[in-house]
């Protein structure tokens, strides 16, 4: 279920995605969820098998794909849409909205998947620039680490020098008798 106070369920989101796919020329198809071979409850498939075959023939025209691989790719497409819709619902909920808007999906695709959809670029989304205080703090922390490393090196050098001096004294004492 979508976290929008129960108003949009995943099945409804799938139907919306399927409707969007249909407008893009990809007809939808009912499918049975895994493990429910005899179950009557079907969910909507985002991508039809024939559309997947056409897409694969465009990419690799001379290759034949195993039906199990087709099923896997169809499941991956379904899972991708489910995850995007679910996270977009969480973003809408975070905005304190009861409506899933295009900008929720666009934000998730741009931030999580680094996908920019032509025609859906948003001016609201600005590149994250760290504040000046953050960069100044990082610079101070680098300076502190460098000073600690130098102090540790000086201390190690003085300990090494003291140890060498003790060894030389021991050698001189051993030669004196």
């Amino acid at each position: 279920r979508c976290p929008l106070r129960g108003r949009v369920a995943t099945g409804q989101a799938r139907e919306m995605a399927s409707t969007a796919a249909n407008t893009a020329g990809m007809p939808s198809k009912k499918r049975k969820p895994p493990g429910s071979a005899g179950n009557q409850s079907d969910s909507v498939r985002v991508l039809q098998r024939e559309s997947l075959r056409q897409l694969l023939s465009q990419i690799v025209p001379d290759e034949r794909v195993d039906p199990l691989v087709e099923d896997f790719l169809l499941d991956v497409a379904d899972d991708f849409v489910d995850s995007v819709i679910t996270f977009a619902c969480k973003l809408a909920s975070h905005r304190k909205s009861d409506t899933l808007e295009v900008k929720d999906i666009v934000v998730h695709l741009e931030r999580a998947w680094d996908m920019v959809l032509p025609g859906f670029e948003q001016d609201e989304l600005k590149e994250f620039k760290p504040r000046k205080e953050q960069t100044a703090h990082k610079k101070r922390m680098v300076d502190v680490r460098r000073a600690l490393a130098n102090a540790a090196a000086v201390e190690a050098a003085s300990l090494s020098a003291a140890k060498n001096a003790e060894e030389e004294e021991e050698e001189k004492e051993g030669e004196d008798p």
Side-chain angles (χ1 to χ4, degrees), residues 21-42:
N22 284 338
T23 60
M26 294 185 287
S28 67
K29 176 182 173 183
K30 296 280 187 177
R31 76 171 174 131
K32 294 183 181 180
S36 62
N39 197 351
Q40 293 295 334
S41 65
D42 287 342

Side-chain angles (χ1 to χ4, degrees), residues 34-138:
S36 62
N39 197 351
Q40 293 295 334
S41 65
D42 287 342
S43 60
V44 178
R45 231 203 231 276
V46 174
L47 184 64
Q48 186 182 20
R49 186 177 300 274
E50 188 56 39
S51 298
L52 176 66
R53 287 181 182 153
Q54 290 173 357
L55 180 63
L56 290 173
S57 69
Q58 290 175 0
I59 296 171
V60 283
D62 298 332
E63 293 292 324
R64 180 162 154 63
V65 179
D66 187 54
L68 291 175
V69 173
E70 287 178 355
D71 288 337
F72 174 74
L73 291 174
L74 292 171
D75 288 339
V76 167
D78 291 338
D79 291 341
F80 173 76
V81 169
D82 280 342
S83 69
V84 169
I85 296 288
T86 301
F87 197 84
C89 286
K90 289 179 183 177
L91 287 173
S93 177
H94 181 71
R95 288 189 297 110
K96 296 181 176 41
S97 174
D98 292 336
T99 307
L100 179 62
E101 297 179 3
V102 172
K103 67 181 177 181
D104 300 318
I105 295 172
V106 170
V107 166
H108 175 62
L109 290 176
E110 286 181 355
R111 297 288 169 98
W113 295 94
D114 198 25
M115 295 173 75
V116 178
L117 302 176
F120 292 105
E121 295 89 10
Q122 292 193 358
D123 297 330
E124 297 174 15
L125 296 177
K126 296 178 181 175
E127 186 174 329
F128 174 74
K129 295 179 183 175
R131 297 183 310 203
K132 291 181 181 179
E133 297 93 28
Q134 289 176 340
T135 55
H137 174 71
K138 286 182 181 180

